Amino acid sequence: GAGTGAGAGSGGAAVEEETFAVRSVAFCGRQVPMLLQNRNGPCALLAVANCLLMRGTLTLAKDEVLVSSSTLVERLAQLCEQLNAKQMEEDPNMREGISEVIQRLPLLLDGLLLNCGFASCTDFELTADLGLFDCLSVKLYHVWVAPEVAKVAGSWNSLSEQLALGSELRETLEREGRLPTEEEDENLTRGVWLRDWLDETQAQATPEGLRELFETVEHREASVLFRNNHFCTVYKPSKEALVTLLTDAAFEEEANAVWESVELDGDTGHILDADFAPYRPGGRATGGASVSTAGGAKGKATTDEPSAAKKAELVALVEGMGFARELAEAGLAAVGWADVQQAVEAILEADGEMPKPRKVKPEASTAGGGGFSEVHSCPTCSRSFRSKNGALNHRASKGH
């Protein structure tokens, strides 16, 4: 998992022992064990491990239904050494680098820090932690791509620094009671532009990034995707499709819920079965219903109680906008699990309290289905956004 746009978790003190449930998934004509997670911290290690399980590089015994965190770390460490044995023997620098990766493996159970560069979907600052992906030959991608932003602020760290400097400059001008110089005014204008872009990309995804991801990931490639402060296993089953592996423990009893599609337009993906076909709870059709998204409704929500898989998907969407799981569940329950947008509104209207049941609004139709032809405004500060998602993310981050 990840705590900020820079990456995941703290990478601090060693964490307590935990166990990961194993479920068997049909994949490429064989049954493959996949590891599930209960919390966000170890998602990077689990995403890597599930890639290796899909490839057959990492294996589990047939009777292993639980894997401890120490066992997972031990097996990944062994693979790091086995897959790089020749290079370690011939190159002392390589041996030292891999030893450092192995020493840090237990810490990665509590998060992996990274710094996304905005130039491309493979642009990351090189760190010791990212050496894990090189050691195990697992590719890492993100979709927070904006070449025009990269020219001004090359990475998340650079962007954060510029926003902090802009804030300090405004405080200085207010304290000294003077107007900015021409250079200071340019810096302030650039800071406002960067802040607006950040507010509109809180989910750490852009259209450019998604298009590049689809073009870059190879057919039948299993790799790892960092998006929305989360690492997940991503796979390309065909030239036209990308999917991510569902690993939340809530899906353990939902045998038919295995993958989630990655949508090129940035909308919420659809849950798919092991054959990459639309998810059918218990083997029954869902009647064509689809989950509503924060970025614009797409179809209608079901009137019946959602399945555990759909609830988990909706909770994850609201959590991704910066809300705690308890608040996310309460907000969704307040609107009958009907719509993410209305759940977020219920949370914000509760003003720090637990949301109370409210009447669910009818879904608004959006011209063209994309949700970008309208202007959406924050009711508190009146800032305008091109999409509902941008406005909701702004309200969530500012508490408006």
Side-chain angles (χ1 to χ4, degrees):
T4 69
S10 63
V15 295
E16 295 180 359
E17 181 82 313
E18 61 184 308
T19 56
F20 307 112
V22 179
R23 75 163 174 170
S24 181
V25 171
F27 177 72
C28 291
R30 59 192 177 92
Q31 289 299 124
V32 176
M34 301 291 192
L35 301 176
L36 303 178
Q37 68 183 93
N38 293 300
R39 64 183 185 91
N40 202 30
C43 62
L45 278 189
L46 293 176
V48 169
N50 283 326
C51 271
L52 299 175
L53 287 166
M54 290 165 62
R55 296 177 184 176
T57 309
L58 176 65
T59 58
L60 299 179
K62 291 184 178 180
D63 60 351
E64 282 188 277
V65 295
L66 292 173
V67 174
S68 69
S69 54
S70 59
T71 297
L72 176 61
V73 165
E74 181 182 351
R75 292 182 183 178
L76 290 178
Q78 290 173 351
L79 277 177
C80 285
E81 293 179 336
Q82 292 170 5
L83 297 177
N84 299 278
K86 185 176 180 180
Q87 295 92 320
M88 290 177 68
E89 183 178 344
E90 298 175 350
D91 187 346
N93 291 329
M94 175 71 76
R95 183 164 60 250
E96 182 179 347
I98 292 176
S99 296
E100 185 177 1
V101 168
I102 291 173
Q103 288 173 4
R104 290 193 57 78
L105 279 175
L107 304 180
L108 301 188
L109 288 164
D110 207 24
L112 186 151
L113 293 173
L114 55 78
N115 182 26
C116 293
F118 304 130
S120 75
C121 66
T122 57
D123 186 8
F124 296 95
E125 178 186 347
L126 295 178
T127 64
D129 287 352
L130 290 193
L132 171 67
F133 295 88
D134 291 333
C135 284
L136 299 173
S137 299
V138 174
K139 292 181 180 179
L140 174 65
Y141 300 101
H142 71 86
V143 286
W144 212 6
V145 177
E148 71 280 8
V149 173
K151 293 176 183 178
V152 177
S155 67
W156 160 254
N157 286 353
S158 175
L159 174 61
S160 300
E161 291 170 4
Q162 292 199 42
L163 292 178
L165 290 173
S167 180
E168 291 177 6
L169 176 56
R170 284 192 296 273
E171 292 175 1
T172 299
L173 293 173
E174 291 176 5
R175 185 173 60 253
E176 297 179 355
R178 65 177 177 85
L179 295 175
T181 64
E182 183 177 345
E183 181 181 354
E184 288 172 339
D185 189 57
E186 289 179 359
N187 291 336
L188 290 173
T189 300
R190 182 169 60 247
V192 170
W193 176 63
L194 290 173
R195 169 56 66 183
D196 285 344
W197 179 79
L198 182 61
D199 285 344
E200 292 190 5
T201 60
Q202 287 288 318
Q204 299 166 334
T206 64
E208 297 98 323
L210 288 163
R211 284 195 297 269
E212 186 180 330
L213 183 72
F214 270 78
E215 294 169 359
T216 305
V217 178
E218 298 178 3
H219 182 211
R220 295 185 179 175
E221 175 188 329
S223 47
V224 174
L225 172 65
F226 174 76
R227 178 183 180 182
N228 209 9
N229 290 333
H230 180 66
F231 294 89
C232 56
T233 303
V234 64
Y235 179 68
K236 196 168 189 179
S238 68
K239 294 181 179 180
E240 298 79 25
L242 271 176
V243 295
T244 57
L245 183 67
L246 297 173
T247 57
D248 192 289
F251 293 103
E252 185 173 5
E253 301 303 323
E254 294 286 342
N256 292 337
V258 179
W259 304 97
E260 181 180 2
S261 63
V262 177
E263 299 298 320
L264 189 56
D265 60 7
D267 276 353
T268 305
H270 301 285
I271 295 181
L272 309 173
D273 63 18
D275 297 319
F276 311 106
Y279 164 67
R280 298 169 181 266
R284 298 188 304 274
T286 58
S290 63
V291 179
S292 300
T293 74
K298 195 171 186 180
K300 296 182 179 179
T302 58
T303 56
D304 298 328
E305 179 77 5
S307 67
K310 283 190 176 180
K311 282 189 175 182
E313 180 183 22
L314 292 171
V315 169
L317 283 170
V318 180
E319 279 189 293
M321 302 177 81
F323 297 103
R325 178 178 287 269
E326 185 180 13
L327 266 180
E329 292 176 343
L332 287 162
V335 298
W337 296 87
D339 182 80
V340 167
Q341 175 191 345
Q342 294 179 41
V344 172
E345 290 176 352
I347 294 172
L348 294 172
E349 290 171 4
D351 195 22
E353 303 293 330
M354 281 297 171
K356 296 180 179 179
R358 56 184 285 189
K359 185 176 180 180
V360 178
K361 303 174 187 176
E363 296 182 45
S365 60
T366 305
F372 293 100
S373 58
E374 304 175 33
V375 175
H376 305 272
S377 300
C378 173
T380 301
C381 66
S382 300
R383 176 178 286 183
S384 297
F385 297 86
R386 291 177 300 166
S387 67
K388 289 181 182 178
N389 202 25
L392 285 171
N393 278 322
H394 163 77
R395 291 178 65 189
S397 62
K398 302 295 184 184
H400 289 180

